[in-house]
Every structure is written in C-alpha cells, then in structure tokens.
Amino acid sequence: METSVLIPFIVLAVLLVGLLGFFLVSGSDLFRRSKQRYPSTRDADDVPEGEEPAGDTLVEEAPEAEAPAEPELETPEPVAGRLARLRARLVRSNSVFGKTLLALLSQDEIDDDVWDEIEETLLTADLGADAAMGLVETLRERVKVEGSKDPARVRELLREELVKLIDPSFDRELTTTAEGRPAVVMVVGVNGTGKTTTVGKLARVLVAEERSVVLGAADTFRAAAAEQLTTWGARVGVPTVSSEVEGADPASVAFESVAKAQDDEADAVLIDTAGRLQNKANLMDELGKVKRVVEKKSAVDEVLLVLDATTGQNGLSQAKVFSEVVNVTGIVLTKLDGTARGGIVVAIQQQLGVPVKLIGLGEGPDDLAPFDTESFVDALLEEQSG
C-alpha cells in the first residue's frame, strides 16, 4: 500500500488511542471520588472534643431507636379494702337517717305522734309506703312487748327489722364465671345513671381478682361512649370491642364482643348497652334484640340494671320497665352518697324481687363494691365518729 494512503489511517489510530486514554483516566478519578476513602487516622481538629482519634470515618453512627415504652397499667384496689372504705363513706352520708330514728325510738314516751314521725322519716328515706308502714307496726309491737327504753336495745330492734326488710336470703353473688366459656354480663340502664362507668369499674373489680375480661361497647348511639369504655379498659389492660361507625348496630357489636371473649378464652365479657329511656318503645325493643342476638352465641349469665340512687322512686319506675324487656338479675345502685336515701334498696327489692348486688358511693375508679346487707344496715345506723 502506498505511503500516502497509510498516513491518514495512522493519524486516525493515534487520535483514537489518545481519546480512549483520556476517558480511562477521567473515569478512574470519578470512581475514586465516589468511593471517598478516608485515611486511617484523623487530623486532631477532626476529632470531637474529649475523644481519641480512631477509626477511618467521621460519620457518627445513628443511635438505635428506642422501643416505645409500654403504658403503665393501674392496679385496682382489692375488694376487701373497698368494702371498708365504702362503709366508712356510707356512715358519713347516712348518719342522719339512723340518728333521727334512734332519737325518736329512745324517747321516754312514744305516742302516736312519735310513731307518725318515725313513719315520715322512713318515707323520706325512700323506703316505700308499704315497707314503712310494715316496719312501724312491727317496731310498735316489739317496743310495747319489751317495754325497753334502752338506746342500745332499741337500736338492736331497729337493726334486726331493717335487715329483715333488705332480706339477707337474696343471692347477691355476681355470676362472672361459666363452665367452659366466658360468662356474659349485660349492663343496662337509662342515660345519666353511670352505666358505662359502672362497666369500667366492674372490669377493675374482676381484674383485681385476677380474672381476664373483654369489654363490649354496644352503646353505639351515644357519642364517645366507646371511647370512654376503651379508656377504662386500657387502664387495666382489658381489650374493648367497638365499632368505628357511630350508630352501628349494637346487637352486632355485642355479638362480636362475645366472639372475641371466646377466642381469647377470657373469663368474662361485659357488654355496655345504650342508655335507653323507658318511654321510647323502639329503643327498649332494640335492647331485647341485643339480648336475643347474644344468646345465639352464648347464654347471658347476668343482666345488671344500673340505677341512680338519688332518683328515688323514679328509679323504681325505670326498673319495672327494664325488667319487662329483659330478665334483670341484679341491681347496681350508684351515687349512694349524702343526697341519696338508703331506703330505695328495700323498695326496689320488694317490688321487683331482684337483689341489689353492687353499690357505688363516689366518682373514684374503685368506688364500687359488692352489696352486703348487714354492713349496709350497720352503716345506716352507725353514728359518725368525731
């Protein structure tokens, strides 16, 4: 091949080799910069104050994220302690009742006017007309026969008759256990009686007895009822079944609550129902539906009716309507404080044949305890010390 033809090819080859070499060198520099190697030692001014030079990087490792702290669960007060404390409060709030009766019965001469005062005092205490008249007649006969004016003996007579009226033979044990399944407890009552709060407090009673519980927020018609019940349960580590839809079918929520209790093998499930007004027939029908739907999944062991003790005879009319819709097995008397009249216990039990099983005297989380007949009567008649 002629020299004049080869020269252009040689020049072109040299240019290609040079261009290739340029890209290889540039790529190597870029690669080295991407790796960003650090020297094995640091300059003194690179090291944070108080640390020794070490390592081959200035990038501090991110600290490990701490796991969120578990919420601290509350420890409910034991039942025995509650009884003593509630009795002391009952003594303070109802001492006038006992003092008035004892003062009247201890007079040197008890004539018809005095007996009328005694009957009036009993009526004021919401004992009920029939019970008040019956108690007065019995006391008149016993005082006349014995002829005793000794205050201690008169107090004993009054105590004996009040215990009979409240009837210690009633079975006041709360059914919160069942063979091979969770016990099902429905809680009913009108708005404002403290029904949802009572469910939360009852959960605390069971937790104090080392029982496992599931709560059912079937009060779907009242805003924030589910949130309130969930808060009560969370304080003692108890789960709550609820619906995110306000106004959801309460029977469905109740059914799912029982199902979860069965899946969890819990000891009991407590179902909070809507605060139904006795003059709203459709709402009362809905309450009956809730019970029927639950019974498709499990038997209902308890139906507790929550009554506000301060409503007196109005509470009695509520109790009658509820007992016609569902088989009420026990009464929970709340707000049995200084404004309440202890005689409502007698009136309710006599007219309904349903025992008072739980009482509450305050707003504290553990202000709920089993009802005990003799302790209750003693508190009514015991004078406040100090």
Side-chain angles (χ1 to χ4, degrees):
M1 184 178 295
E2 295 183 3
T3 305
S4 60
V5 176
L6 289 174
I7 290 174
F9 283 103
I10 294 172
V11 172
L12 181 60
V14 171
L15 289 175
L16 288 175
V17 171
L19 186 62
L20 180 61
F22 172 79
F23 280 118
L24 287 173
V25 172
S26 299
S28 177
D29 288 341
L30 288 172
F31 180 73
R32 282 196 298 271
R33 283 197 295 270
S34 68
K35 293 288 286 186
Q36 196 105 46
R37 290 183 180 175
Y38 291 91
S40 59
T41 59
R42 305 175 183 175
D43 294 334
D45 57 358
D46 285 339
V47 182
E49 184 178 352
E51 291 187 12
E52 292 295 327
D56 58 1
T57 178
L58 294 178
V59 180
E60 184 179 357
E61 293 184 3
E64 292 185 5
E66 295 184 2
E70 291 291 331
E72 186 175 348
L73 300 181
E74 298 178 7
T75 302
E77 184 176 341
V79 173
R82 299 175 187 215
L83 288 171
R85 182 164 50 82
L86 291 182
R87 175 175 172 177
R89 296 184 63 175
L90 193 61
V91 167
R92 292 195 298 271
S93 63
N94 291 283
S95 59
V96 174
F97 173 83
K99 285 181 179 178
T100 302
L101 287 179
L102 290 173
L104 291 170
L105 287 168
S106 299
Q107 293 187 31
D108 292 335
E109 183 179 351
I110 306 178
D111 55 20
D112 289 342
D113 290 338
V114 174
W115 285 114
D116 287 343
E117 284 188 60
I118 292 172
E119 185 174 330
E120 183 178 346
T121 300
L122 294 172
L123 289 171
T124 303
D126 277 333
L127 198 68
D130 292 341
M133 288 188 292
L135 179 57
V136 166
E137 288 302 315
T138 302
L139 287 173
R140 287 185 76 161
E141 184 65 26
R142 294 192 66 177
V143 169
K144 180 180 179 180
V145 170
E146 292 196 17
S148 174
K149 296 294 187 298
D150 177 50
R153 179 53 186 161
V154 170
R155 180 191 180 284
E156 185 59 30
L157 292 177
L158 180 58
R159 181 187 183 279
E160 290 174 3
E161 296 305 324
L162 283 173
V163 168
K164 289 179 184 177
L165 274 177
I166 296 177
D167 195 350
S169 66
F170 266 125
D171 181 9
R172 303 183 192 277
E173 185 176 354
L174 208 59
T175 306
T176 54
T177 58
E179 186 67 32
R181 62 175 178 83
V184 178
V185 180
M186 284 181 59
V187 183
V188 302
V190 301
N191 289 326
T193 58
K195 175 177 51 58
T196 300
T197 299
T198 295
V199 177
K201 291 181 178 182
L202 181 55
R204 295 176 69 91
V205 172
L206 297 181
V207 170
E209 296 175 347
E210 298 184 350
R211 313 278 296 288
S212 57
V213 183
V214 170
L215 301 181
D219 185 354
T220 60
F221 301 133
R222 183 170 68 86
E227 182 180 352
Q228 180 185 0
L229 191 63
T230 300
T231 300
W232 274 101
R235 290 175 179 171
V236 288
V238 170
T240 301
V241 176
S242 62
S243 173
E244 296 181 356
V245 180
E246 187 174 339
D249 180 22
S252 296
V253 176
F255 185 90
E256 291 302 323
S257 302
V258 176
K260 177 172 176 54
Q262 292 176 345
D263 291 342
D264 293 354
E265 298 184 351
D267 295 317
V269 53
L270 310 180
I271 302 173
D272 179 28
T273 61
R276 311 183 186 284
L277 300 176
Q278 68 272 23
N279 58 351
K280 299 286 184 70
N282 58 324
L283 292 180
M284 297 303 291
D285 290 342
E286 183 67 27
L287 179 61
K289 174 190 171 185
V290 170
K291 187 170 186 289
R292 291 192 300 273
V293 169
V294 168
E295 287 175 333
K296 293 179 180 179
K297 190 71 174 173
S298 173
V300 175
D301 301 282
E302 286 273 7
V303 178
L304 298 177
L305 173 60
V306 181
L307 294 176
D308 181 341
T310 63
T311 61
Q313 296 297 314
N314 288 334
L316 189 57
S317 64
Q318 294 172 11
K320 290 178 179 177
V321 176
F322 275 99
S323 64
E324 293 171 0
V325 178
V326 290
N327 180 30
V328 175
T329 59
I331 304 293
V332 182
L333 268 183
T334 64
K335 306 178 186 179
L336 197 59
D337 53 18
T339 58
R341 302 170 179 89
I344 192 64
V345 173
V346 175
I348 289 173
Q349 293 186 159
Q350 284 196 339
Q351 296 195 35
L352 294 182
V354 177
V356 173
K357 293 191 173 184
L358 296 165
I359 58 170
L361 280 84
E363 299 298 327
D366 293 319
D367 285 340
L368 185 73
F371 181 84
D372 179 76
T373 301
E374 296 196 4
S375 294
F376 180 74
V377 171
D378 287 340
L380 288 179
L381 298 180
E382 187 174 334
E383 294 188 7
Q384 182 179 351
S385 60

